[in-house]
Amino acid sequence: MSQRVQIIVAGSGGVGKSAVTIQFLQGKFIEEYDPSIEDKYRKTIMIDDRSALLEILDTAGQEEFRKREEIHTKEGDGFLLVFSAISEESLKQAQKIHRNIIQEKDNKRFPVVLIGNKIDLFTENETLIKGAQKHLMKFLKTTEIVKVPENVTITVKARIVVVKGPRGTLKKNFKHTKLHLESDQEKKEVTVTLWLAKRKQVCGVRTIIAHIQNMINGVTKGYRYRMKLAYNHFPINLNIPENGSFIEIRNFLGEKIERKVRMLEGVKVFRSEKTKDEIYLEGNDVTLVSLCCAQIHQICNVRNKDIRMFLDGIYVSEKEFIDED
């Protein structure tokens, strides 16, 4: 015999409670419907290999039907509180309903899910997001999509992303994350999904998206970082042997120490032919290019001197793509 579970869908009027309910039951989204006092639906699902009969009560949002919601609150086994992502007032109303449920349930433990609807109409509202996080739930599902250009191929296997393009191939391992990555070759897009995340974890989704986008830019355009040699007391001498995979820095602050930096894999360093006292580093992986720049800057960092007078060093002056659109 199926276990009976009663779910109450509540929220203020016009937030899309019926649309969310029908989307779950029928797998389709309705754009127009007539508001009603309440609707009741039934659906049998499998939970942990056991059959369960869901009785979903779609309540009304109008004030005149609040008493009816209070009656059903005592009978509900779980609650879906719906608010509109474009209405801060609907979030406050959901919080009010949540407090009423706690009173009716006499502080007993019960499952509650907060649903932000109309997210496609959402404009960035940090106050609304923080309010939802502070009072209730985690983000149930967070999804971001990267569009893949026609001349680029991306494959994803076990959270290892391989990007192939006109300039070469880049590979990055994201196994340290708890994200789901999926590549659709037909739609030419990569989807990154995270379930049950907190606000800071949601930021990790956008970070992975930024990494993949940087990889796409790397195999199609490439990265170039320009660095300027700054000196006042002693001119800095450079030697770049081995076809740009190595750089030697001499006479920094008049010291006889020879500073050496070897470029990481895929990064080359060149002396500028047009501008005096300028070098540039090129590569497809923006992370490796920036790390090489950091190593050059750090090895020429002034120590044990007044930096207000000794401004000598090698600094990043400009960042650009090698192959501009």
Side-chain angles (χ1 to χ4, degrees):
M1 184 177 179
S2 299
Q3 180 184 2
R4 176 179 169 274
V5 180
Q6 185 163 358
I7 306 296
I8 309 296
V9 183
S12 58
V15 296
K17 298 186 296 297
S18 298
V20 170
T21 304
I22 295 176
Q23 174 74 22
F24 170 72
L25 294 170
Q26 303 179 10
K28 65 180 182 179
F29 179 78
I30 56 171
E31 296 185 2
E32 297 181 359
Y33 63 93
D34 296 325
S36 57
I37 296 178
E38 63 182 39
D39 292 312
K40 198 167 187 178
Y41 306 90
R42 290 190 174 188
K43 183 177 182 178
T44 302
I45 62 173
M46 297 299 293
I47 302 177
D48 297 331
D49 297 328
R50 295 180 61 184
S51 176
L53 175 62
L54 295 184
E55 292 186 356
I56 303 175
L57 180 65
D58 178 14
T59 62
Q62 293 82 357
E63 288 293 335
E64 55 266 29
F65 301 119
R66 292 299 176 200
K67 293 295 182 181
R68 188 180 293 271
E69 288 186 9
E70 293 175 4
I71 295 174
H72 294 300
T73 296
K74 295 181 179 180
E75 302 176 357
D77 299 310
F79 300 86
L80 301 180
L81 304 183
V82 184
F83 75 96
S84 171
I86 58 176
S87 171
E88 191 169 350
E89 184 61 33
S90 66
L91 176 60
K92 294 179 180 178
Q93 189 62 51
Q95 294 166 1
K96 181 180 178 181
I97 296 173
H98 183 241
R99 289 193 295 268
N100 293 339
I101 294 174
I102 293 176
Q103 293 177 358
E104 293 293 331
K105 288 290 188 180
D106 195 21
N107 293 323
K108 295 180 181 178
R109 294 178 61 88
F110 54 91
V112 181
V113 175
L114 178 67
I115 298 178
N117 200 20
K118 302 185 181 180
I119 199 69
D120 55 323
L121 305 176
F122 175 70
T123 55
E124 190 65 32
N125 188 335
E126 191 67 20
T127 303
L128 191 62
I129 294 296
K130 286 183 178 179
Q133 283 283 285
K134 178 180 177 181
H135 290 277
L136 291 171
M137 307 295 151
K138 299 178 180 180
F139 288 87
L140 191 63
K141 181 182 180 182
T142 304
T143 303
E144 295 282 351
I145 297 176
V146 179
K147 293 295 183 180
V148 181
E150 290 297 329
N151 58 345
V152 176
T153 302
I154 297 182
T155 57
V156 179
K157 185 177 181 181
R159 291 199 287 262
I160 297 177
V161 179
V162 179
V163 182
K164 296 181 180 180
R167 293 183 55 86
T169 302
L170 290 177
K171 181 179 179 181
K172 204 169 283 286
N173 189 336
F174 297 111
K175 287 188 175 182
H176 62 283
T177 67
K178 296 182 180 180
L179 305 173
H180 175 70
L181 289 87
E182 184 178 4
S183 177
D184 192 322
Q185 301 295 340
E186 295 183 359
K187 294 183 179 180
K188 299 290 290 185
E189 62 184 26
V190 177
T191 304
V192 181
T193 307
L194 180 62
W195 295 86
L196 296 174
K198 296 181 180 179
R199 189 167 64 90
K200 290 184 178 180
Q201 293 172 323
V202 171
C203 297
V205 176
R206 294 190 287 269
T207 300
I208 301 302
I209 290 293
H211 277 297
I212 297 175
Q213 188 61 59
N214 288 338
M215 294 168 70
I216 294 174
N217 291 335
V219 298
T220 55
K221 303 176 183 179
Y223 291 94
R224 178 187 290 130
Y225 279 39
R226 297 183 182 271
M227 302 190 75
K228 291 286 291 185
L229 280 65
Y231 53 86
N232 187 33
H233 302 81
F234 302 94
I236 301 174
N237 299 324
L238 297 179
N239 182 34
I240 305 177
E242 301 182 17
N243 196 25
S245 62
F246 192 78
I247 185 172
E248 298 174 348
I249 304 167
R250 301 167 182 165
N251 200 41
F252 179 70
L253 293 179
E255 297 175 354
K256 294 185 178 181
I257 301 173
E258 189 177 273
R259 294 166 168 82
K260 301 179 181 180
V261 178
R262 180 166 294 280
M263 299 297 104
L264 299 174
E265 184 180 359
V267 182
K268 298 292 183 180
V269 58
F270 305 96
R271 191 190 301 269
S272 176
E273 298 179 356
K274 298 181 179 179
T275 308
K276 182 185 176 182
D277 295 331
E278 183 181 68
I279 61 175
Y280 55 89
L281 289 80
E282 293 182 352
N284 294 341
D285 193 330
V286 65
T287 303
L288 299 183
V289 174
S290 58
L291 279 174
C292 290
C293 290
Q295 289 176 358
I296 294 174
H297 172 72
Q298 287 295 326
I299 206 171
C300 295
N301 194 22
V302 176
R303 296 176 177 85
N304 303 322
K305 288 181 173 64
D306 189 347
I307 60 174
R308 294 173 295 180
M309 296 180 60
F310 291 87
L311 302 177
D312 304 51
I314 304 179
Y315 304 93
V316 174
S317 60
E318 190 176 349
K319 304 173 184 179
E320 60 187 6
F321 293 120
I322 300 173
D323 302 323
E324 295 287 350
D325 292 333

